[in-house]
Amino acid sequence: MIRDLYNVRTRPAEDAPEPLTTEEEARFRALLFTELGNRIADEGWARYPAYTREDRRRLVDVAHRLTAHWGRQVGVEAEDECRLRLFLVGDEVPGTSSPDGPGTP
């Protein structure tokens, strides 16, 4: 016997995190703006984990906000599947793509 299920929705996994509220999202973006901004100002670059699409969007938004705040472009590039690098455009060392030093892959 086949039964049709109506109005059935999948439930999130028990260990899945709840989405951030609007206030929590704003506070988290402000924290990233401050912490990553300070690191970029000191070192010229910063890397941060980005496991989800929302994490990547959040970091790109922070880079745009830093660009508007400083009047200098802050670039964003993916280092791998789980990490983004934010950097001041124009401060990169020629011939390197890694902030760990010249010739480092």
Side-chain angles (χ1 to χ4, degrees):
M1 170 191 263
I2 297 174
R3 295 181 185 225
D4 292 327
L5 301 175
Y6 298 99
N7 296 326
V8 175
R9 298 180 189 147
T10 58
R11 297 183 64 189
E14 295 297 323
D15 59 348
E18 293 290 322
L20 297 178
T21 65
T22 305
E23 180 185 342
E24 291 171 333
E25 182 70 30
R27 288 181 16 216
F28 187 48
R29 286 179 190 242
L31 175 74
L32 288 174
F33 179 83
T34 302
E35 295 296 321
L36 294 176
N38 288 339
R39 182 136 199 194
I40 294 168
D42 291 342
E43 300 178 22
W45 64 275
R47 69 170 55 115
Y48 200 80
Y51 300 109
T52 65
R53 222 176 253 165
E54 184 57 36
D55 290 339
R56 290 186 281 278
R57 284 188 195 120
R58 192 177 289 130
L59 290 172
V60 169
D61 180 58
V62 167
H64 288 285
R65 288 180 56 203
L66 287 169
T67 296
H69 182 70
W70 287 335
R72 289 192 62 192
Q73 186 174 359
V74 176
V76 180
E77 69 179 17
E79 287 192 327
D80 55 30
E81 300 86 28
C82 302
R83 200 169 36 185
L84 290 181
R85 180 173 168 257
L86 285 73
F87 58 94
L88 289 172
V89 173
D91 286 354
E92 308 91 48
V93 177
T96 65
S97 61
S98 175
D100 297 330
T104 306

